[in-house]
Amino acid sequence: MNADLALARAVDDLRRGLAIRVTDGDAALHVLAAELAQPETLAALEVEARADLLLTPERAATLHITNQRAAAGARAVFVTRMPWHDLVASIATADPADDLAVPFKGPFPTRAPGRHGRAGEAALALLKRAALLPAAFVVADCAPAPDMLVADAAAALAWRRAPRLRVVSRARLPLAGAEDCQVVAFRPDDGGPEHLALVIGAIGDVPLVRLHSACLTGDVLGSLKCDCGFQLRAAVAAIAAEGGILLYLQQEGRGIGLMNKLRAYALQDQGFDTVDANLRLGFEAEERDFDLASAMLCALGVARIRLLTNNPAKTDAMEAQGIAIAERVPLVLPANPHNAAYLATKRKRQGHQL
């Protein structure tokens, strides 16, 4: 089985609540997604030893354990579960939904990652790829089950760094306000979600380009909590006026997935801003992979663009992948009472030039 196929199947097993094995040389971890664990699946994992709880440093910081020597600087934090740390308490540790309602019942003793550090980091990367909470029950160096999928840690950590895409379809797609439009559908070779390019009008040598991350709540349902739907429609109109490309990237919620984005919304209802909500969930503030966009542009034969964005991180990402930015074109829209705080957070904490 090639590496991409093994990783894709490992992600699928994690999403179905099955345990996988992540290896790094002679070090190995058996990994079970915390949010999907059941009494019987946890018991099967713990045949040889009691499972640790694997967390990201972002979630560990919320638990106030990153100042401990064993966890400091680690990209994977191993919490040694105490006798009272049963399935319910462990899932509550991983899931911040009730952090305010149910105070933490620490302490949370940690162990140094040691030779399992890279396997733990890879396990968290696979959980993120599966759009699950990045937290897991893990047991180190136990005998593998015959049907357990094995994922290589180095391959998992490199998975997002070299996207390989191929065009699977092109078709005319007249849009409201942009009737001269062609849709180009891309499929990654690694089994990830498909992405779209909307080629509008005559694109010229230096087209106007927008990188738009999918937002079902804003783009489709008309949510007022964000500016995504408004930006999508404004971008289509701006590109239609002069010709260009809109890249529609399936990276919901800044790359954390729809279910986790809705979890973040629930945390925002508790008073946390969009950045702190993501961190409490165990994610980084930004999880999107803009290398996908540069790969799509290269496939379309585009090497120099005018980038329609307020986000300097997109400009930096495109330039780092060899796409020349002739100009950054702002896309600033008025706030409403429901997204004003969200826009302020993007400006103050994420550097958006609004």
Side-chain angles (χ1 to χ4, degrees):
M1 185 184 301
N2 68 44
D4 281 351
L5 179 57
L7 293 171
R9 290 183 59 182
V11 165
D12 184 62
D13 273 12
L14 286 171
R15 286 181 59 84
R16 292 190 292 135
L18 302 177
I20 67 167
R21 182 178 175 90
V22 180
T23 61
D24 182 31
D26 63 351
L29 289 176
H30 285 191
V31 180
L32 177 66
E35 70 169 282
L36 298 177
Q38 299 294 324
E40 60 274 15
T41 55
L42 181 57
L45 187 76
E46 295 185 312
V47 169
E48 296 186 25
R50 184 171 174 81
D52 289 333
L53 189 61
L54 177 68
L55 302 174
T56 65
E58 291 79 16
R59 181 61 182 159
T62 298
L63 297 166
H64 303 292
I65 65 173
T66 50
N67 60 333
Q68 298 182 24
R69 181 174 56 84
R75 293 306 307 161
V77 179
F78 292 79
V79 176
T80 302
R81 290 165 58 231
M82 304 298 285
W84 56 266
H85 219 166
D86 60 10
L87 176 62
V88 173
S90 298
I91 293 176
T93 301
D95 187 343
D98 295 323
D99 280 355
L100 297 185
V102 182
F104 294 131
K105 298 177 176 64
F108 299 98
T110 60
R111 69 170 178 86
R115 64 193 186 90
H116 297 101
R118 191 161 73 154
E121 186 180 353
L124 292 169
L126 291 170
L127 288 160
K128 290 180 179 181
R129 183 77 172 213
L132 298 170
L133 284 174
F137 294 103
V138 294
V139 176
D141 299 329
C142 55
D147 57 348
M148 183 176 286
L149 281 172
V150 179
D152 177 72
L157 291 172
W159 204 8
R160 292 177 60 182
R161 298 177 186 171
R164 297 186 300 277
L165 301 159
R166 57 191 176 92
V167 174
V168 296
S169 180
R170 295 175 183 260
R172 191 174 66 87
L173 183 68
L175 303 177
E179 294 185 22
D180 183 11
C181 176
Q182 181 188 61
V183 61
V184 184
F186 290 84
R187 177 174 292 149
D189 288 346
D190 62 15
E194 291 85 3
H195 310 277
L196 303 178
L198 301 179
V199 181
I200 301 173
I203 64 173
D205 294 330
V206 189
L208 183 64
V209 173
R210 169 73 179 169
L211 279 55
H212 187 89
S213 297
C215 176
L216 184 141
T217 50
D219 299 344
V220 178
L221 302 180
S223 169
L224 299 177
K225 284 180 66 71
C226 63
D227 57 345
C228 301
F230 304 104
Q231 285 195 327
L232 175 61
R233 289 180 282 277
V236 168
I239 295 171
E242 58 181 273
I245 304 169
L246 186 140
L247 302 181
Y248 197 84
L249 307 173
Q250 295 292 343
Q251 300 193 115
E252 186 92 30
R254 293 187 174 271
I256 68 174
L258 177 60
M259 296 299 104
N260 289 317
K261 183 178 80 169
L262 298 181
R263 286 180 166 123
Y265 280 0
L267 291 175
Q268 290 172 34
D269 289 342
Q270 296 177 24
F272 299 103
D273 68 25
T274 183
V275 172
D276 285 334
N278 278 23
L279 297 176
R280 293 186 79 87
L281 286 166
F283 294 96
E284 298 180 34
E286 177 63 84
E287 293 278 357
R288 287 176 292 183
D289 179 10
F290 293 123
D291 292 358
L292 290 165
S294 61
M296 293 167 72
L297 290 174
C298 289
L300 294 171
V302 175
R304 190 164 184 261
I305 65 173
R306 299 168 61 234
L307 188 60
L308 184 61
T309 186
N310 306 318
N311 185 357
K314 291 183 179 179
T315 302
D316 295 342
M318 291 295 94
E319 291 180 330
Q321 291 298 313
I323 302 297
I325 307 299
E327 179 187 6
R328 184 189 70 82
V329 180
L331 181 64
V332 181
L333 300 171
N336 67 61
H338 302 280
N339 70 12
Y342 167 76
L343 295 178
T345 298
K346 290 210 296 186
R347 182 178 66 251
K348 295 176 182 177
R349 300 193 64 183
Q350 296 180 300
H352 287 227
Q353 298 174 353
L354 299 174

